[in-house]
Amino acid sequence: MSSSFRSRRTLPIEEDGEDAPRADLLPGHQRSDRRSASSTNLDQHVVLGSHSPGHVVVDLRPTAANVDGGGKLELDPVGRMPVHFVLAFHDLTYNVGRPRRMAFWRRSRHVETDATTARGGGARAREGALLLDGVSGEAREGEIMAVLGASGAGKTTLIDALADRIQRDSLRGAVTLNGEPLGGRMLKVISAYVMQDDLLYPMLTVAETLMYSAEFRLPRSLSASKKATRVQELIDQLGLRAAANTIIGDEGRRGVSGGERRRVSIGIDIIHDPIILFLDEPTSGLDSTSAFMVVKVLQGIAKSGSVVIMSIHQPSYRIIGLIDRLMFLSRGRTVYYGPPASLPLFFSEFGHPIPDGQNPVEFALDHVRQLEAIPEGTDELVEFSKAWREKALARAVSSAACTGRHDKPSLPLKEAIRMSIARGKLVSGATTSTGDNGTAAAAASTAKVATYANPWWAEVWVLARRAFTNTRRTPELFLIRLATVVVTAFILATVFWRLDNTPKGVNERFGFFAIAVSTMFYTSADALPVFLVERYIYLRETAHNAYRRSSYTVSNAIVAFPPLVALSLAFTAITFFAVGLAGGAGGFLFFALIVLASFWAGSGFVTFLSGVVPHVIIGYTVVVAGLAYFLLLSGFFITRDRIPSYWIWLHYLSLIKYPYEAVMQNEFGAEAGRCFMRGVQMFDGTPMARLPVETKVRVLEAMSRSMGLELNSGSCITTGPDILARQAVTELGKWSCLWVTVAWGFLFRALFYLTLVLGSRNRRR
Ligand SMILES: Nc1ncnc2c1ncn2[C@@H]1O[C@H](COP(=O)(O)OP(=O)(O)OP(=O)(O)O)[C@@H](O)[C@H]1O
Ligand SMILES: [Mg+2]
């Protein structure tokens, strides 16, 4: 793998001071550098829009990938011509907003006509909005393809379509790589998608953020020092050296600048040097220098052998100079497709020459906007663009026929990917059996593309470390929770101070247990925002297989656990002796364990909800309502034997039932000789309670005689087991209750995992 670093070129960002309009982009001018030669060539042979399986791909240009600085062909390490990746899309049509009842019809029809990714392109607008309408084109290794257009033109939609982020049955048309339909799994492994929003952990530094990304995306076979080298290289490449140790920050905490954050977002997705890179507006919100730096970095990535496809709003001159192909969209249709340098020619042939000195892209944007405002819209321009491309295609085919040079992507896709990995692409999950010292040729023959870069346990370890770092840097979250538990425990300890063994004391114990156990669950609600906040980061990371969903679930549980131990000990220490609970050291330990189990089950329940509910407010509402029902049917307000049979299922589902019964048994089953009602105490709570004690003793003796019992004022009327029987706490032992509570915690985490599997499809419908 060491060759990977050697072969990969780091492209320092050059500030070339090109603020003035570029002459080579203006009408009537030719570029003089090597790139202009290729662009001029592109003018003539261009850009074959409708590349589909079986079609000849004609491109006679020397590409950045196969010509080195001296102009001679550069062979890959195994002595073959470098591979070419061509991502082609044909007649992409995407329609949304169809009535639900049509969905079945649409799906069954789709299966009949077309079961694979080659989605018959015949469908046109039927109903709903047509977001893409017959868009075709291709993007090549070594080039940047930019998708342009006004806001709402369909740029993001097109990139989503190419990146397989739209449900297969909603999208029509074909997307192929080297002529082969792109499977979702393969695409995930070899591509990356940089979203428009910066979804980053605010408390990590730039270097840490990139390092964690390296740990997720780069294969385990790469040593830690190599990963660190890669991160350093990327930091330099992205111009982030000065900000490397600054935290990302957010609204509340000052961190790196917006432009730096944007570059970090790009960095985490390109750390593994993806073969195909999709970027949605990588330059939005950046000043022109930062935007140029970002695109310059992208050019470097393209030249290292990647296909780069990005959407962009209003590129500056300098940026236009870095773009190889433009896909200009207006309301989902192509109004121009070709190199930026051909824009002037295109518009002059269309009858609207671009005035001298004007930025051709700005002119095109303005012109399209004007056309969109008139009733005929851009129909004429769309038709002209189609004819223009067909003409270019015909020219290219005849030119290819004359010279006899047909440059097809030379290798089958899998082979091309293997070659690419062997040449040094650090594709996520790529493993070579040759290790650091093996030759690239051997690597090429053995390189496998795995779905995930790392084994499961390594992902859990990295995720847990990252989460601990985040937790350590936001101690206030834990401290607030600890304070809540301590204050609640203190209030309970003082309110239920030293309960006695009278019938009243027994009732107060019931109250204490019910409120204590429900507190465990209510204070768990703070786990709710954790995933709701992290959800988008999680979606971004798992969209390209940074780690498994199961690793996330497990690390989430591991990180959640230690604070629960601290909370449980704090609560037990404050309340157990103050309230005067039974059982001594054993009782204390069990009480602490059941409190911990309750926190565990509660946090599991809340974590599961966070995977289901879309919003934190809804989450809290469900938590509060759910726990109220659980408490209602836990056996405290109404005992099990009195619950209507049609609600008994909820009693058994009640999370509060099990810890409540466990603490009841810990208290009332702990000491055999303990008595909770003696002699005349049996008259408490009855009209006889007001009688003088001597009278009550006489009544007791009379009752005792008539019933043939030997009751006196010292006799024990109610023992602990009697109380448990009266409260119908008889089904499970205290340890069983503890295990059931623990099992609930695991069950909810398993359900959380299921919500992740089912709920994060990452695709538009
Ligand atoms: N589910 C939907 N139903 C109807 N219209 C939709 C839906 N999703 C997106 N659109 C519309 O599709 C059009 C294209 O959206 P898209 O996000 O691709 O635009 P864009 O070119 O990326 O714009 P921007 O530059 O503002 O990001 C927009 O007009 C948008 O309102
Ligand atoms: Mg967009």
Side-chain angles (χ1 to χ4, degrees):
M1 263 300 171
S2 60
S3 63
S4 59
F5 289 104
R6 282 198 301 274
S7 65
R8 199 176 186 293
R9 274 161 291 172
T10 306
L11 293 158
I13 294 150
E14 298 154 20
E15 291 299 319
D16 53 7
E18 280 183 88
D19 280 321
R22 283 192 51 163
D24 54 7
L25 297 174
L26 300 178
H29 286 84
Q30 289 289 320
R31 289 187 189 186
S32 59
D33 58 3
R34 184 169 57 76
R35 276 182 45 77
S36 78
S38 66
S39 297
T40 313
N41 210 343
L42 193 68
D43 293 353
Q44 291 157 3
H45 298 295
V46 203
V47 174
L48 307 175
S50 47
H51 169 63
S52 57
H55 283 194
V56 169
V57 175
V58 186
D59 188 350
L60 305 179
R61 297 163 305 140
T63 65
N66 62 20
V67 177
D68 70 8
K72 61 181 184 344
L73 283 175
E74 182 186 278
L75 299 182
D76 71 4
V78 285
R80 283 186 254 181
M81 287 284 289
V83 288
H84 293 267
F85 287 105
V86 179
L87 180 79
F89 45 102
H90 180 63
D91 212 7
L92 291 182
T93 300
Y94 176 44
N95 204 351
V96 289
R98 288 168 207 154
R100 210 78 190 102
R101 62 192 158 81
M102 302 298 284
F104 172 72
W105 174 84
R106 188 158 42 88
R107 194 161 296 143
S108 52
R109 182 176 174 275
H110 181 71
V111 170
E112 255 169 47
T113 54
D114 192 350
T116 66
T117 46
R119 306 147 211 158
R124 280 290 175 271
R126 289 193 292 271
E127 69 283 324
L130 196 56
L131 305 193
L132 290 178
D133 185 3
V135 179
S136 301
E138 65 181 35
R140 294 181 152 247
E141 174 187 326
E143 296 183 353
I144 297 181
M145 181 175 105
V147 185
L148 252 122
S151 182
K155 302 183 292 294
T156 304
T157 309
L158 175 60
I159 292 185
D160 282 350
L162 298 179
D164 192 32
R165 291 162 61 87
I166 294 180
Q167 291 276 328
R168 284 269 157 87
D169 53 359
S170 309
L171 184 74
R172 310 206 145 247
V175 182
T176 59
L177 186 61
N178 287 15
E180 294 178 30
L182 253 186
R185 184 177 161 265
M186 175 62 89
L187 186 66
K188 265 191 171 191
V189 174
I190 63 168
S191 73
Y193 188 113
V194 181
M195 294 180 193
Q196 201 168 343
D197 310 306
D198 299 320
L199 300 167
L200 303 165
Y201 286 100
M203 294 316 293
L204 298 181
T205 66
V206 168
E208 285 169 344
T209 306
L210 292 171
M211 193 60 205
Y212 281 119
S213 179
E215 295 201 39
F216 288 132
R217 302 285 179 93
L218 299 183
R220 219 182 141 61
S221 55
L222 219 58
S223 66
S225 64
K226 289 238 167 73
K227 285 179 186 163
T229 311
R230 169 76 180 130
V231 168
Q232 289 309 318
E233 188 187 82
L234 200 60
I235 285 176
D236 287 337
Q237 200 180 1
L238 293 164
L240 288 169
R241 177 134 307 282
N245 294 318
T246 310
I247 59 160
I248 301 291
D250 57 15
E251 298 79 13
R253 283 160 291 224
R254 270 200 60 72
V256 297
S257 76
E260 287 163 342
R261 195 176 304 160
R262 201 79 267 273
R263 278 176 271 157
V264 176
S265 290
I266 295 172
I268 52 180
D269 277 316
I270 63 172
I271 192 109
H272 59 306
D273 215 355
I275 291 171
I276 307 175
L277 181 57
F278 301 103
L279 305 104
D280 194 12
E281 311 242 359
T283 59
S284 69
L286 301 187
D287 62 73
S288 77
T289 307
S290 304
F292 175 74
M293 282 164 75
V294 164
V295 182
K296 191 83 187 156
V297 169
L298 298 179
Q299 189 189 43
I301 293 164
K303 284 184 172 170
S304 75
S306 299
V307 178
V308 175
I309 301 173
M310 66 170 185
S311 67
I312 191 161
H313 248 114
Q314 290 208 324
S316 67
Y317 266 109
R318 292 196 295 169
I319 290 179
I320 296 168
L322 301 175
I323 292 171
D324 300 274
R325 268 165 221 249
L326 277 184
M327 165 64 76
F328 215 122
L329 295 179
S330 161
R331 297 187 180 155
R333 300 193 297 171
T334 313
V335 287
Y336 174 78
Y337 173 61
S342 296
L343 266 175
L345 182 66
F346 175 82
F347 275 99
S348 75
E349 285 190 17
F350 182 59
H352 292 270
I354 301 176
D356 269 359
Q358 192 168 346
N359 180 329
V361 170
E362 268 172 30
F363 173 87
L365 278 167
D366 288 344
H367 192 68
V368 167
R369 200 169 299 138
Q370 281 165 17
L371 291 178
E372 281 172 354
I374 61 171
E376 308 84 67
T378 51
D379 291 355
E380 199 190 340
L381 187 58
V382 170
E383 286 309 313
F384 178 76
S385 156
K386 214 178 271 171
W388 203 76
R389 277 166 61 187
E390 272 158 19
K391 224 164 61 192
L393 177 66
R395 269 205 309 264
V397 170
S398 73
S399 160
C402 290
T403 57
R405 290 170 66 187
H406 292 256
D407 175 21
K408 281 194 206 176
S410 48
L411 294 167
L413 181 56
K414 284 217 160 137
E415 184 60 17
I417 291 171
R418 278 196 196 104
M419 290 291 300
S420 183
I421 292 167
R423 276 191 303 148
K425 281 275 171 197
L426 304 170
V427 173
S428 150
T431 55
T432 68
S433 60
T434 52
D436 282 357
N437 301 320
T439 64
S445 62
T446 54
K448 293 197 296 281
V449 177
T451 308
Y452 296 96
N454 291 295
W456 179 84
W457 59 268
E459 293 173 355
V460 172
W461 170 237
V462 178
L463 279 167
R465 259 176 36 226
R466 182 173 72 178
F468 271 123
T469 310
N470 272 320
T471 315
R472 215 182 49 236
R473 300 217 176 128
T474 44
E476 61 276 13
L477 293 184
F478 171 71
L479 291 177
I480 289 170
R481 190 164 178 208
L482 183 65
T484 313
V485 168
V486 167
V487 168
T488 310
F490 177 75
I491 293 173
L492 290 178
T494 46
V495 169
F496 294 99
W497 179 257
R498 298 269 161 203
L499 296 180
D500 55 22
N501 291 341
T502 62
K504 277 199 174 145
V506 168
N507 278 337
E508 285 156 4
R509 276 182 177 79
F510 295 165
F512 169 73
F513 291 140
I515 200 82
V517 171
S518 30
T519 300
M520 309 297 116
F521 287 90
Y522 280 111
T523 53
S524 298
D526 80 321
L528 194 63
V530 172
F531 181 63
L532 287 173
V533 169
E534 265 189 18
R535 189 199 308 255
Y536 295 99
I537 298 181
Y538 159 84
L539 283 176
R540 175 173 60 64
E541 291 177 332
T542 50
H544 284 88
N545 293 354
Y547 46 77
R548 295 163 182 82
R549 294 178 172 88
S550 54
S551 317
Y552 183 81
T553 312
V554 172
S555 79
N556 183 289
I558 290 176
V559 174
F561 194 71
L564 302 185
V565 176
L567 297 178
S568 312
L569 287 176
F571 186 86
T572 309
I574 295 172
T575 55
F576 189 85
F577 299 108
V579 177
L581 300 181
F588 178 88
L589 196 65
F590 184 83
F591 191 76
L593 283 177
I594 196 71
V595 170
L596 178 59
S598 306
F599 273 129
W600 166 251
S603 75
F605 173 61
V606 173
T607 304
F608 160 64
L609 280 182
S610 73
V612 181
V613 298
H615 196 277
V616 72
I617 299 293
I618 302 175
Y620 282 128
T621 311
V622 176
V623 169
V624 170
L627 291 181
Y629 302 140
F630 287 160
L631 181 61
L632 174 67
L633 292 161
S634 63
F636 166 67
F637 289 110
I638 178 166
T639 58
R640 177 173 44 81
D641 46 357
R642 306 274 299 166
I643 294 173
S645 56
Y646 45 86
W647 279 120
I648 200 75
W649 58 273
L650 193 50
H651 168 72
Y652 287 105
L653 283 185
S654 168
L655 290 181
I656 295 181
K657 162 189 162 76
Y658 302 95
Y660 176 69
E661 291 191 0
V663 286
M664 289 278 282
Q665 295 187 56
N666 196 43
E667 179 68 15
F668 295 110
E671 293 159 17
R674 208 150 154 238
C675 184
F676 295 92
M677 191 193 284
R678 263 181 214 287
V680 294
Q681 282 178 340
M682 70 191 288
F683 300 123
D684 291 357
T686 70
M688 284 185 275
R690 285 193 295 273
L691 297 173
V693 176
E694 308 82 61
T695 316
K696 287 195 268 189
V697 170
R698 280 203 303 277
V699 173
L700 184 66
E701 283 166 0
M703 280 170 59
S704 170
R705 273 196 304 278
S706 67
M707 288 190 289
L709 296 170
E710 286 186 22
L711 294 179
N712 55 43
S713 53
S715 307
C716 183
I717 311 287
T718 307
T719 61
D722 294 335
I723 291 170
L724 293 177
R726 203 174 71 207
Q727 293 303 111
V729 180
T730 50
E731 279 184 332
L732 291 171
K734 70 176 186 178
W735 287 100
S736 302
C737 287
L738 176 74
W739 298 131
V740 172
T741 311
V742 172
W744 273 118
F746 279 106
L747 177 71
F748 279 119
R749 285 187 157 78
L751 291 175
F752 174 63
Y753 170 69
L754 268 187
T755 66
L756 295 186
V757 171
L758 299 176
S760 54
R761 287 263 172 257
N762 247 314
R763 282 212 177 112
R764 291 163 67 163
R765 299 213 151 258

